[in-house]
Amino acid sequence: MDMRLAGRVAVVTGASKGIGLAVTRTLLDEGAKVVAVSRKAGAELDALAGPNLVHVAADLMDPDAPALAVERAVEVFGGLDVLVNNAGGPPPGATLPRFGFQTPSDDDWRDMFEFNVFGVVRAVRAAIPHLLKSDAAAIVNVSSVNGRRPGPMNSDYNAAKAALNNVAKGLSEEFAPQGIRVNTVSPGPVRTPWWTDEGGAADIIAGATGSDRDAVLDGGAAQMMALTTGRLADPQEVADVVALLASPRSGSTTGAEFVVDSGFLKEI
């Protein structure tokens, strides 16, 4: 199926690994021009190098970074059609999961919202004037199922993603009449470096449960979270949904949330 993304210009944040890398690769495969935003490029992103890819080294904790990335897209490719706000999760220097409400400090809460909410707000604010000039503008925010299911872990992260969902819904109401669609993709647990890196979620959960990281990754986490599929999702499975929502083929879809969660959410 032709996604009608050829020649479209996209900015993707958190693009050097995991879901963001998969989104970047998918958009390039569909013929889009991509400005990939991350603190460092990394070997896998470097392997995608070509005329349709520009890397912007930026830390989205810096209030000026989102606007600089958007302006770079306009400077190099002449405009902007798609903004994928994928960067999120633990702020730089933090690790998740955090167990218990008392664990995160005020600074932890501030950093979590700075990275997962304010970084998105600033990117959207910078992108809107350019997206209004596009004939098929789309914003896709990557949130989390944890924004819909509060729990005794990661209360700061869960609240930040709930806020992000609310912002996206409001944006869709305001800007759909002006031609900008805004949608949300909410992954469940995805087999990304957040899980697999040394000291990441798999190691933390293994230490808390007396297990080992391979057991956590190969089924323990899925069992603990009652994932219907029995496994963590693959980043490409999330990227495919992001690409469809970015595509003009989703022209009547806005204000929606699409869940890619291996069956984590059970609610109707």
Side-chain angles (χ1 to χ4, degrees):
M1 180 175 69
D2 179 9
M3 300 289 279
R4 301 177 186 168
L5 287 168
R8 298 287 177 182
V9 179
V11 169
V12 181
T13 66
S16 65
K17 56 187 177 181
I19 294 170
L21 179 67
V23 169
T24 298
R25 183 185 296 114
T26 301
L27 294 178
L28 288 171
D29 286 346
E30 293 294 330
K33 302 172 183 178
V34 181
V35 170
V37 185
S38 61
R39 284 178 292 158
K40 299 178 182 179
E44 290 180 288
L45 184 59
D46 286 342
L48 302 178
N52 286 345
L53 177 65
V54 170
H55 177 249
V56 172
D59 182 350
L60 295 180
M61 296 291 280
D62 176 357
D64 295 328
L68 291 174
V70 169
E71 291 306 319
R72 182 67 172 151
V74 175
E75 174 189 345
V76 175
F77 294 127
L80 183 65
D81 302 290
V82 176
L83 172 63
V84 180
N85 290 305
N86 167 72
T95 56
L96 296 182
R98 292 180 175 130
F99 298 93
F101 178 80
Q102 299 283 58
T103 301
S105 65
D106 282 4
D107 286 342
D108 291 330
W109 277 85
R110 291 188 189 98
D111 287 348
M112 190 64 74
F113 271 72
E114 185 73 29
F115 193 45
N116 288 275
V117 181
F118 293 129
V120 173
V121 168
R122 292 171 184 134
V124 171
R125 186 185 293 135
I128 281 174
H130 304 290
L131 292 173
L132 287 171
K133 300 174 185 177
S134 171
D135 62 354
I139 298 172
V140 184
N141 294 331
V142 178
S143 183
S144 169
V145 291
N146 294 98
R148 292 175 53 184
R149 180 181 283 188
M153 294 193 302
N154 307 324
S155 53
D156 51 344
Y157 174 75
N158 300 347
K161 289 303 190 183
L164 178 60
N165 293 351
N166 192 292
V167 169
K169 195 73 170 180
L171 286 169
S172 72
E173 286 292 308
E174 181 175 356
F175 288 100
Q178 301 176 60
I180 303 175
R181 298 181 299 105
V182 184
N183 292 289
T184 299
V185 177
S186 290
V190 181
R191 196 169 180 129
T192 64
W194 181 4
W195 279 87
T196 60
D197 278 353
E198 185 176 351
D203 286 334
I204 293 171
I205 292 173
T209 60
S211 181
D212 64 77
R213 70 184 331 269
D214 289 337
V216 170
L217 289 169
D218 294 338
Q223 183 176 9
M224 182 178 70
M225 291 180 282
L227 302 185
T228 308
T229 64
R231 64 175 177 85
L232 306 183
D234 185 270
Q236 188 61 52
E237 294 169 326
V238 182
D240 289 341
V241 178
V242 171
L244 180 59
L245 291 173
S247 165
R249 286 188 173 274
S250 297
S252 291
T253 303
T254 193
E257 180 191 9
F258 287 77
V259 171
V260 186
D261 71 343
S262 304
F264 174 77
L265 292 177
K266 314 298 183 188
E267 299 84 356
I268 295 175

